[in-house]
Amino acid sequence: MKLKDSIYELLENIKADAKNVSEEENLFTSGILDSLGMAMLIPAIEEKFDIEVDVDDIEPENFISVSAICEFLDKYHEGK
């Protein structure tokens, strides 16, 4: 499964219509993510990708779109 597909799967667990947003669409203004959604997404990402997200990295710009989340996770896989 591609990274992008995994992100969409996690987002759909939070908001079912997440599959309808484009990779570049702002997840906050589109209503897919809010503060509660972020609080659900972070541990889901940590579990799915076996990483521990540094508290300093919990910034909206890292989670603003599917492509931003993919870039963010790529950095973790490269060892930040």
Side-chain angles (χ1 to χ4, degrees):
M1 180 180 275
K2 290 183 181 178
L3 179 58
K4 175 183 71 171
D5 295 332
S6 295
I7 299 303
Y8 274 108
E9 184 179 289
L10 293 176
L11 289 170
E12 286 173 32
N13 288 333
I14 295 168
K15 187 101 172 187
D17 58 350
K19 64 181 174 261
N20 298 325
V21 299
S22 72
E23 290 179 45
E24 300 300 325
E25 192 169 344
N26 186 312
L27 296 173
F28 298 104
T29 59
S30 66
I32 301 300
L33 281 182
D34 56 15
S35 56
L36 179 58
M38 281 277 297
M40 295 169 64
L41 182 61
I42 303 293
I45 284 174
E46 290 177 325
E47 184 178 331
K48 176 91 176 172
F49 299 105
D50 194 30
I51 61 172
E52 187 172 327
V53 175
D54 191 307
V55 69
D56 293 335
D57 291 331
I58 302 175
E59 300 281 337
E61 60 266 12
N62 288 330
F63 301 92
I64 201 159
S65 66
V66 172
S67 59
I69 297 170
C70 289
E71 288 176 29
F72 171 73
L73 289 173
D74 283 342
K75 290 178 191 171
Y76 266 84
H77 286 284
E78 293 169 3
K80 286 177 73 176

